[in-house]
């Protein structure tokens, strides 16, 4: 019945005989749990998730336990949810929904829930991997937005795709779209009308978005996070949302998940959903066999995947 299991409960479930574990990103897989799994004869662990910042891989490695995850099947689903948060925040959909359900709608008004048009504006992404690139394409193709992105590694495939799309628009007599990679996060924040985070969580990206960087963003910008909660200093974000009512955000993840920082729930300019980026039937149906297949593969004697690029 418990959604988030304690280490004590997990150790109890592992018991004295356990060949492998399929775990969730809400669990703390470090020295304590990997030692318990090792003592029970465990040979494999897999996260039912693509992210694995809840797993201390070095502690598993010390005990000879391979770690698996579920990449690939989450790409479009997560990008779609980021796009949905972007549109919902920019066009104030949740605010208008609450207003309508409360019976407050008395008739059309010129200034009722006026939001931001995204067409031909600039979308910024931080992290241009599989999910970030998929989101960028959705926003560029769907809304003819220019793209500015920050990533330590250039995504040449994405750049070429947008260049070719720009040529198509030019051929049709429409203004072409542009794509550029910049050297700093700050450049993305200053230039973009929408900023979406698609980076991993590590020491360099924890509180990547803080009060100083929020202050660089446009007062009418939209900030989206479907990556990992601690990438944003959530308390600083709450303060920024309250001080800048035209600024909006869309959040799928939270710094102290499942809790929210005080005041976030009171911000009408925040769209907040409970970590559902991968929650499409197709994706969850793909994750469901991948996680146990990782464990079953090891137990069946197949080698671990040891290549960098999946």
């Amino acid at each position: 019945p418990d959604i988030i299991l304690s280490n004590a409960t997990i150790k109890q479930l592992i018991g004295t005989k356990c060949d492998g574990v399929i775990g969730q990103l809400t669990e703390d897989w470090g020295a304590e749990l990997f030692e318990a799994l090792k003592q029970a004869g465990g040979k494999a662990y897999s996260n039912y998730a693509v992210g694995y910042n809840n797993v201390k891989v070095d502690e598993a490695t010390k005990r000879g336990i391979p770690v698996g995850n579920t990449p690939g099947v989450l790409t479009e689903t997560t990008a779609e949810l980021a796009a949905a948060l972007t549109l919902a925040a920019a066009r104030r959909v949740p605010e208008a929904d609450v207003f309508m359900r409360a019976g407050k709608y008395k008739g059309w008004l010129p200034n009722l829930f006026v939001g931001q048009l995204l067409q031909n504006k600039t979308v910024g992404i931080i992290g241009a991997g599989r999910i970030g690139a998929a989101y960028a394409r959705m926003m560029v193709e769907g809304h003819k937005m220019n793209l500015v992105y920050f990533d330590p590694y250039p995504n040449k495939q994405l750049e070429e795709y947008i260049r070719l799309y720009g040529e198509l628009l030019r051929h049709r007599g429409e203004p072409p779209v542009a794509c550029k990679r910049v050297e700093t996060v700050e450049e993305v924040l200053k230039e973009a009308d929408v900023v979406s985070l698609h980076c991993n969580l590590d020491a360099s990206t924890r509180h990547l978005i803080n009060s100083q960087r929020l202050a660089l963003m446009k007062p009418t910008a939209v900030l989206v996070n479907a990556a990992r909660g601690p990438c944003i200093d959530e308390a600083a974000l709450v303060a920024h949302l309250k001080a800048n009512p035209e600024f909006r955000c869309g959040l799928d993840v939270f710094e102290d998940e499942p809790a929210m920082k005080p005041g976030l729930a009171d911000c009408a300019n925040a769209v907040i959903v409970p970590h559902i980026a991968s929650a499409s039937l197709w994706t969850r149906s793909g994750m469901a066999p991948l996680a146990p297949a990782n464990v079953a593969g090891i137990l069946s004697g197949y080698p671990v995947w040891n290549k960098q690029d999946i």
Side-chain angles (χ1 to χ4, degrees):
D2 295 326
I3 293 173
I4 298 179
L5 302 181
S6 66
N7 282 11
T9 302
I10 294 171
K11 284 160 69 176
Q12 207 172 18
L13 292 167
I14 288 171
T16 57
K17 177 70 172 74
C18 181
D19 297 301
V21 167
I22 303 157
Q24 302 201 82
L25 51 81
T26 52
E27 299 163 3
D28 179 19
W29 280 88
E32 183 182 4
L33 291 184
F34 281 122
E35 183 59 30
L37 181 57
K38 181 69 174 177
Q39 292 301 319
K43 296 181 175 63
Y45 170 82
S46 183
N47 237 23
Y48 184 92
V50 66
Y52 51 91
N53 52 284
N54 65 306
V55 180
K56 292 183 175 61
V57 179
D58 57 340
E59 295 294 344
T61 303
K62 283 179 194 173
R63 294 161 178 83
I65 299 173
V67 172
N69 66 339
T70 62
V73 294
L74 292 96
T75 302
E76 287 77 16
T77 295
T78 303
E80 277 190 0
L81 194 276
L85 288 172
T86 304
L87 289 167
R91 295 303 303 272
R92 305 177 64 180
V93 174
E95 291 176 76
D97 181 85
V98 169
F99 181 86
M100 194 76 185
R101 291 175 191 274
K104 295 180 180 179
Y105 181 53
K106 305 302 180 188
W108 186 90
L109 285 171
N111 61 350
L112 187 62
F113 293 110
V114 174
Q116 297 297 326
L117 177 70
L118 299 181
Q119 289 285 320
N120 305 122
K121 291 195 176 172
T122 299
V123 60
I125 58 171
I126 297 171
R130 288 188 296 271
I131 296 169
Y135 169 83
R137 282 180 50 176
M138 289 176 188
M139 302 310 292
V140 172
E141 291 179 78
H143 305 278
K144 297 182 175 63
M145 300 183 83
N146 294 313
L147 172 66
V148 56
Y149 79 95
F150 170 80
D151 194 296
Y153 308 99
N155 189 328
K156 294 297 184 184
Q157 190 175 11
L158 174 62
E159 292 177 15
E160 176 67 2
Y161 186 92
I162 292 175
R163 186 189 69 77
L164 291 171
Y165 181 59
E167 288 300 314
L168 171 65
L169 292 175
R170 192 197 308 274
H171 181 71
R172 293 173 58 87
E174 299 180 52
V177 291
C179 171
K180 69 174 178 179
R181 174 175 170 260
V182 294
E183 295 299 321
T184 65
V185 170
E186 284 78 5
E187 289 174 84
V188 174
L189 298 178
K190 288 177 184 176
E191 190 170 333
D193 299 286
V194 173
V195 175
S196 191
L197 306 184
H198 298 282
C199 47
N200 294 325
L201 177 62
D202 56 29
S204 69
T205 59
R206 187 174 294 275
H207 284 195
L208 179 79
I209 303 298
N210 53 30
S211 56
Q212 292 80 15
R213 283 178 165 162
L214 285 165
L216 298 175
M217 298 181 71
K218 296 179 180 181
T220 57
V222 176
L223 174 65
V224 177
N225 188 11
R228 285 291 179 261
C231 292
I232 296 178
D233 179 343
E234 203 170 296
L237 177 60
V238 171
H240 192 76
L241 287 165
K242 289 183 174 179
N244 300 273
E246 297 301 312
F247 183 92
R248 309 199 183 281
C249 73
L251 305 176
D252 179 55
V253 287
F254 305 90
E255 188 172 355
D256 302 320
E257 205 164 308
M260 291 185 286
K261 292 292 188 188
L264 181 60
D266 302 322
C267 294
N269 47 344
V271 180
I272 45 181
V273 296
H275 205 143
I276 58 170
S278 67
S280 72
L281 185 60
W282 186 89
T283 291
R284 292 285 169 85
S285 299
M287 294 167 70
L290 272 177
N294 288 335
V295 174
I298 297 299
L299 298 181
S300 301
Y302 290 96
V304 296
W305 189 273
N306 62 359
K307 298 174 184 175
Q308 288 299 313
D309 184 6
I310 337 184

